[in-house]
Amino acid sequence: SNVSADITYVDDQDITTGLGPQALNSEPLHLWNIGLRGDTAINGINLRADVELQTGKAKMNYVNPVTGLREDRKFKGYALLVGADYNINDITVGAEFAYGSGDKVTYDTTSATGRSGDKNEAFQTSLGSSQHYTYVYDYRVATASRSQAATFSTGNGLSNTWYINVGASKKVNPDLKVSTDLYFLRASQAVAIMGALNSNGTSKTSKKIGTEIDGKLEYQIDKNLVYFVEGGFLWAGAAYDRADTTKADGNNIGPDNAYAVRNGITLKF
């Protein structure tokens, strides 16, 4: 069994909310992330868990609508993950649940992106442009998180997202490995990623991100050289609906499903 913990302090000297009428000049963000994680094995079942808590504030990053004065914006995000896997006849099967908090944005007719007040409850991430869990949703399409940007973007990890995952992998022979994963995806706070509208002009939000299936094949060419082919298909949910500008307000168009495939070579040294 293993247990670990860490405390990380982030001093972002140039942050902007990007949230409609509250968008201000860039201000500093002072953010603390407290992490606790552990793993163990019971009767051949490998168990793991991770909890991340965040606190901090962005200096003078919010305009009070009553007083008109600038105030600090508080950050209170969190994330958690629990998972397990088990090996059966050289087939590894697993399941995982992960949750990242989202910001409680108030949608109104004065701003397409809404206003979140003096508190941001979204789990804040600082991630590179690589795949972290799903291949399509996390890595290829706009996610349910705006982070600090005015538009929804990719690569935001668990921010405003939760999922349930089941998967399996098998080594067909010493050089060939195949794996597949199924994800049920939801937003923690309802969003309108592609701008769906109600009849009164407000954003028509939804928590339904969709369901995704991923697959990957890896072939060991040499000791540190692997060729891979992977792909995924996302059955997109109502969070990706978009407004039909050819009709009256309140008419929206359902999303197209998204898919992507790639192949490549990985050299480790």
Side-chain angles (χ1 to χ4, degrees), residues 39-188:
D39 63 82
T40 189
I42 301 175
N43 296 326
I45 302 175
N46 299 308
L47 305 171
R48 59 190 178 277
D50 187 347
V51 177
E52 306 288 328
L53 305 175
Q54 295 180 338
T55 186
K57 59 185 176 181
K59 299 293 291 182
M60 308 299 285
N61 201 226
Y62 166 70
V63 173
N64 188 308
V66 177
T67 65
L69 300 176
R70 294 177 68 167
E71 301 174 0
D72 293 346
R73 184 185 297 273
K74 303 174 184 67
F75 283 74
K76 294 289 183 181
Y78 66 94
L80 59 91
L81 178 149
V82 291
D85 59 73
Y86 184 71
N87 190 279
I88 307 173
N89 297 325
D90 294 328
I91 300 176
T92 300
V93 295
E96 190 171 80
F97 169 80
Y99 183 98
S101 62
D103 194 19
K104 293 182 175 68
V105 176
T106 300
Y107 287 88
D108 57 37
T109 57
T110 63
S111 171
T113 53
R115 296 181 292 181
S116 62
D118 63 348
K119 185 185 293 184
N120 189 331
E121 297 177 89
F123 181 65
Q124 303 299 310
T125 62
S126 179
L127 300 171
S129 57
S130 57
Q131 180 182 348
H132 303 104
Y133 49 108
T134 67
Y135 177 57
V136 179
Y137 171 72
D138 169 56
Y139 186 59
R140 292 297 190 188
V141 302
T143 70
S145 173
R146 281 196 303 262
S147 184
Q148 288 299 305
T151 57
F152 296 93
S153 59
T154 191
N156 293 308
L158 274 179
S159 184
N160 197 34
T161 301
W162 66 267
Y163 68 77
I164 298 173
N165 159 248
V166 291
S169 64
K170 178 179 174 58
K171 268 208 164 188
V172 180
N173 58 51
D175 297 324
L176 182 63
K177 179 182 177 181
V178 294
S179 59
T180 184
D181 285 277
L182 179 66
Y183 292 87
F184 174 72
L185 295 150
R186 297 272 289 187
S188 306

